[in-house]
């Protein structure tokens, strides 16, 4: 009895070259509708992963605040109007937000890869949230650059900060899936997104509305908004840059005939 493995490389969606020249089709309504369906289909398997990401972010935020302030409660009281929001408190909050965003980057990348998996038809498990750890150094460095530029943009003009956040949004996935260096991934993300900025803005407006609604519901709606956001990113990335998939077909049998076997499709992100 022998075992034969056949490896085939497939490509789904757009290409890097077309993304950089704007030669890809993007319909905001179709993207939102597909992301809604993916979120509904993968909700219960994806929810623990995004909740873990949220918990890591909050924990890191509170730890950094504890280092910068006597108590994190000082900032919380100022935020809800129980105390005066001083410049020092505001600066501490910004530093803590920057640090938590950068330090949680590998987990964020894992959630992004899960959303991308959904977009190309693969199911995920909560443990897949750690897949981004394989690119920890590069993703953390990339997120550091992106967050720094976005922070500077916010200081100049809030709309500029939002613009930079959108145009650099594909950086983590480009690092993980295309194996680009951090700065190279940022440049590619910026160039590709600015080619189709209007439909992308419409998509991100939907995401923003969901997050505003989440704030109005004391964060309850985040259990839908977070998975939806990562699924949107997955669909957008597939349509813009495409995804390389390795399909391995294993067949067991003797030299003359096959006596049964298995098919194992693996998304090598």
């Amino acid at each position: 009895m022998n075992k034969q493995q056949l490896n085939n490389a497939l490509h789904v969606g757009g290409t890097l070259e077309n993304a950089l020249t704007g030669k890809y089709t993007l319909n905001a309504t179709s993207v939102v509708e597909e992301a809604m369906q993916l979120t509904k289909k993968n909700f219960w398997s994806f929810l623990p992963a995004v909740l873990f990401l949220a918990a890591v972010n909050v924990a890191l935020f509170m730890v950094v605040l504890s280092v910068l302030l006597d108590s994190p409660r000082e900032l919380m009281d100022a935020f809800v109007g129980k105390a005066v929001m001083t410049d020092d408190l505001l600066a501490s909050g910004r530093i803590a937000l920057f640090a938590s965003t950068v330090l949680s980057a590998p987990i964020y990348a894992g959630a992004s890869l899960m959303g991308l998996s959904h977009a190309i038809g693969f199911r995920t498990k909560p443990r897949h949230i750690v897949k981004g750890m394989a690119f920890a150094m590069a993703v953390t460095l990339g997120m550091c650059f992106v967050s720094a530029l976005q922070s500077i943009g916010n200081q100049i003009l809030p709309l500029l900060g939002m613009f930079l956040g959108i145009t650099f949004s594909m950086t983590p996935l480009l690092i993980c899936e295309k194996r680009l260096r951090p700065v190279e991934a940022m440049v590619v993300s910026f160039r590709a997104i600015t080619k189709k900025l209007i439909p992308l803005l419409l998509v991100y407006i939907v995401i923003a509305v969901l997050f505003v609604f989440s704030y109005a519901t004391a964060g309850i709606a985040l259990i839908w908004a977070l998975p939806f956001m990562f699924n949107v990113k997955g669909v957008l990335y597939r349509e813009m840059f495409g995804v390389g998939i390795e399909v391995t077909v294993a067949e067991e049998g003797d030299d003359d005939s096959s006596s049964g076997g298995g098919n194992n499709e693996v998304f090598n992100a």
Side-chain angles (χ1 to χ4, degrees):
M1 209 176 254
N2 60 18
K3 182 175 181 178
Q4 182 181 15
Q5 286 193 341
L6 304 175
N7 295 317
N8 297 285
L10 303 177
H11 189 85
V12 179
T15 65
L16 190 60
E17 292 76 16
N18 287 343
L20 291 175
T21 56
K23 295 178 181 178
Y24 62 91
T25 303
L26 200 62
N27 183 283
T29 302
S30 298
V31 170
V32 170
E33 289 178 350
E34 183 177 355
M36 285 287 188
Q37 291 300 317
L38 291 174
T39 303
K40 182 179 179 181
K41 179 180 178 181
N42 300 282
F43 182 74
W44 293 111
S45 62
F46 199 16
L47 182 61
V50 294
L51 289 181
F52 175 73
L53 170 62
V56 169
N57 266 282
V58 171
L60 289 170
F61 182 80
M62 298 302 287
V63 168
V64 176
L65 270 187
S66 298
V67 173
L68 297 173
L69 303 173
D70 292 334
S71 171
R73 189 176 181 83
E74 294 179 43
L75 181 63
M76 304 304 157
D77 288 343
F79 185 74
V80 298
K82 293 182 179 180
V84 178
M85 180 66 78
T86 64
D87 291 339
D88 287 342
L89 287 176
L90 194 58
S92 296
R94 287 173 177 165
I95 293 172
L97 181 61
F98 176 84
S100 62
T101 300
V102 172
L103 294 176
S104 64
I107 306 299
Y108 181 91
S112 299
L113 287 170
M114 291 176 74
L116 181 56
S117 295
H118 300 156
I120 58 176
F122 286 81
R123 292 188 177 274
T124 59
K125 297 180 180 180
R127 59 184 171 83
H128 292 159
I129 190 70
V130 300
K131 289 182 68 176
M133 296 303 294
F135 312 92
M137 185 173 295
V139 170
T140 300
L141 189 60
M143 193 64 78
C144 183
F145 292 153
V146 170
S147 296
L149 288 174
Q150 192 174 1
S151 179
I152 294 171
N154 283 327
Q155 295 296 314
I156 299 172
L157 184 68
L159 285 177
L160 177 59
M162 292 174 59
F163 171 76
L164 293 175
I166 292 172
T167 53
F168 290 133
S169 61
M170 294 298 163
T171 299
L173 280 173
L174 285 167
I175 291 173
C176 297
E177 200 275 326
K178 292 289 188 279
R179 308 297 199 267
L180 299 183
R181 293 186 293 271
V183 175
E184 187 180 10
M186 291 171 63
V187 172
V188 169
S189 177
F190 184 90
R191 288 181 57 188
I193 287 178
T194 51
K195 299 293 183 182
K196 299 284 185 180
L197 190 57
I198 299 303
L200 280 162
L201 280 175
L202 295 175
V203 173
Y204 278 95
I205 286 173
V206 174
I207 295 175
V209 169
L210 281 175
F211 275 85
V212 170
F213 181 69
S214 299
Y215 178 76
T217 58
I220 295 175
L222 282 175
I223 63 174
W224 178 269
L226 283 172
F228 173 75
M229 180 187 72
F230 286 109
N231 285 324
V232 164
K233 287 179 179 288
V235 174
L236 289 175
Y237 184 92
R238 182 199 68 202
E239 294 301 305
M240 293 170 65
F241 304 102
V243 186
I245 307 172
E246 180 181 316
V247 180
T248 301
V249 180
E251 296 181 350
E252 287 190 9
D254 54 31
D255 292 335
D256 298 323
S257 64
S258 175
S259 60
N263 294 337
N264 185 26
E265 295 185 352
V266 180
F267 169 47
N268 285 329

